[in-house]
């Protein structure tokens, strides 16, 4: 399909990237060009997770340039839970307090990304658990969803969610890569499943059972600049590649791409409130 044909086709749809690090250094050279590519094919809603305090200014900067398209989260990423994590959590809480006032000009739309990552460092598990639980309670305080990062830590994540479960706990299980049993457990805690590039991988596995999960529980994401979908695997990811994920879900669910786009955007509105 030519670029013009893609533009005509996708401009009929509103696509939502529920997880994209568009402020990343990976886009320093072409951030606006990258954004334009995504917007031109219908990705008009970008939900942007936090990492730590060193990225806060970059997040605010891109929000100021794209105020109609960019919606920010605030949180401490589990791989950035270090010796100074209490200071970082204080920063998260201060930023949330400023922006969650009723008269604040700008809002946060989730607490994220938060969770537990045991791939990179198992020695910080206790700190990660403490930071995860603390931020869940901040989300409850401000009536916000959470966006969960989970890597090699499903049982540890579920243990915390079990202790915090309730009507005030809801959000997205970002970059879901678990089993169908994990999917049902996540959904049981009021979580949508964030489906990204992994669904296009030959060894991604989730494509084998995803059609057994009702679309009502699914949202789309890229996690740009990471986890680029096929045929870009191993290269820098970007939000315009959301269409590759969309087309794979269209194939899996045997539904038109327009229907997948509409329903997943509707699901994102249910979570984020806009």
């Amino acid at each position: 399909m030519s670029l013009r044909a893609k533009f005509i086709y996708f401009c009929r749809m509103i696509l939502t990237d529920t997880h994209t690090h568009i402020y990343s250094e990976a886009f320093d050279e072409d951030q606006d060009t990258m954004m334009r590519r995504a917007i031109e094919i219908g990705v008009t809603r970008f939900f942007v997770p936090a990492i730590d305090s060193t990225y806060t200014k970059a997040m605010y900067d891109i929000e100021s340039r794209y105020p109609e398209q960019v919606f920010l989260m605030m949180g401490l990423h589990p791989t950035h839970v270090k010796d100074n994590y209490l200071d970082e959590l204080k920063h998260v809480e201060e930023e949330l307090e400023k922006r969650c006032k009723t008269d604040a000009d700008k809002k946060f739309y989730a607490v994220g990304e938060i969770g537990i990552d045991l791939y990179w460092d198992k020695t910080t598990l206790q700190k990660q658990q403490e930071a995860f639980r603390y931020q869940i309670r901040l989300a409850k305080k401000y009536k916000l969803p959470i966006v969960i990062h989970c890597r090699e830590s499903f049982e540890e994540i579920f243990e915390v969610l079990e202790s915090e479960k309730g009507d005030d706990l809801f959000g997205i299980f970002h970059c879901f890569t678990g089993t169908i049993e994990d999917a049902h457990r996540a959904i049981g805690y009021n979580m949508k499943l964030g489906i990204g590039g992994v669904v296009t991988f030959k060894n991604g596995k989730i494509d084998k059972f995803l059609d057994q999960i009702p679309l009502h529980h699914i949202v789309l994401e890229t996690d740009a600049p990471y986890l680029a979908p096929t045929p870009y695997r191993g290269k820098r990811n970007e939000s315009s590649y959301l269409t590759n994920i969309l087309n794979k879900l269209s194939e899996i669910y045997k539904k038109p791409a327009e229907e997948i786009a509409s329903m997943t955007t509707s699901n994102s509105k249910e979570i984020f409130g806009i």
Side-chain angles (χ1 to χ4, degrees):
M1 186 183 293
S2 69
L3 287 176
R4 177 171 175 76
K6 283 185 178 180
F7 173 73
I8 293 171
Y9 177 64
F10 287 113
C11 71
R12 295 178 297 174
M13 298 183 281
I14 296 176
L15 285 164
T16 300
D17 190 344
T18 61
H19 199 106
T20 180
H21 299 269
I22 50 178
Y23 56 85
S24 167
E25 299 94 337
F27 301 117
D28 280 353
E29 301 299 319
D30 65 344
Q31 190 180 66
D32 289 321
T33 303
M34 175 273 297
M35 290 291 290
R36 188 162 56 249
R37 276 194 294 267
I39 292 169
E40 284 178 350
I41 61 169
V43 185
T44 56
R45 290 156 49 85
F46 302 76
F47 287 86
V48 177
I51 295 176
D52 66 16
S53 61
T54 66
Y55 288 94
T56 302
K57 182 180 183 302
M59 291 170 58
Y60 288 165
D61 286 347
I62 196 162
E63 178 195 45
S64 69
R65 295 210 308 280
Y66 296 92
E68 302 300 319
Q69 292 88 18
V70 170
F71 307 94
L72 301 184
M73 311 177 202
M74 178 49 61
L76 176 61
H77 193 291
T79 63
H80 287 244
V81 174
K82 307 296 183 183
D83 289 340
N84 69 335
Y85 78 105
L86 293 178
D87 291 334
E88 286 289 338
L89 290 175
K90 182 179 179 182
H91 172 77
V92 169
E93 187 164 12
E94 288 173 348
E95 295 302 302
L96 283 168
E97 185 178 0
K98 284 191 295 188
R99 285 195 157 209
C100 289
K101 294 176 180 177
T102 55
D103 59 347
D105 292 334
K106 299 290 186 180
K107 304 291 183 183
F108 287 117
Y109 296 89
V111 175
E113 64 188 280
I114 64 176
I116 299 173
D117 188 313
L118 299 181
Y119 176 80
W120 293 107
D121 189 354
K122 294 180 173 63
T123 67
T124 60
L125 173 59
Q126 185 175 348
K127 293 176 181 177
Q128 289 188 53
Q129 290 170 317
E130 182 181 341
F132 185 31
R133 193 183 306 277
Y134 188 82
Q135 291 178 98
I136 287 175
R137 293 175 180 176
L138 285 177
K140 290 179 177 181
K141 176 181 178 180
Y142 292 108
K143 298 180 172 57
L144 293 173
I146 62 172
V147 173
I148 298 173
H149 173 106
C150 173
R151 193 168 185 188
E152 296 190 1
S153 57
F154 276 99
E155 289 306 316
E156 291 81 3
I157 291 283
F158 287 138
E159 181 181 344
V160 174
L161 294 181
E162 178 65 24
S163 67
E164 295 292 335
K165 66 183 179 182
D167 292 340
D168 55 354
L169 176 69
F170 65 106
I172 296 173
F173 221 103
H174 151 60
C175 190
F176 181 79
T177 56
T179 64
I180 190 167
E181 291 79 16
D182 294 328
H184 288 307
R185 288 181 74 181
I187 290 166
Y189 292 115
N190 299 325
M191 299 294 146
K192 305 290 188 191
L193 305 183
I195 303 301
V198 172
V199 76
T200 70
F201 297 172
K202 286 184 179 180
N203 61 348
K205 299 180 181 179
I206 61 173
D207 60 310
K208 302 297 189 289
F209 65 79
L210 200 58
D211 62 349
Q212 299 175 52
I213 304 297
L215 266 173
H216 176 69
H217 300 300
I218 302 296
V219 292
L220 302 184
E221 62 169 66
T222 60
D223 199 21
Y226 315 105
L227 291 174
T230 304
Y232 306 104
R233 188 175 184 181
K235 300 179 181 179
R236 186 191 75 172
N237 198 4
E238 59 179 75
S239 287
S240 65
Y241 297 164
L242 197 68
T243 56
N244 297 79
I245 299 159
L246 171 70
N247 288 336
K248 182 64 177 181
L249 262 66
S250 177
E251 175 187 318
I252 290 171
Y253 282 97
K254 297 179 174 58
K255 293 181 182 294
E258 295 95 327
E259 184 175 341
I260 303 287
S262 176
M263 185 167 290
T264 53
T265 286
S266 178
N267 295 343
S268 76
K269 292 177 180 178
E270 180 183 329
I271 291 295
F272 294 117
I274 53 169

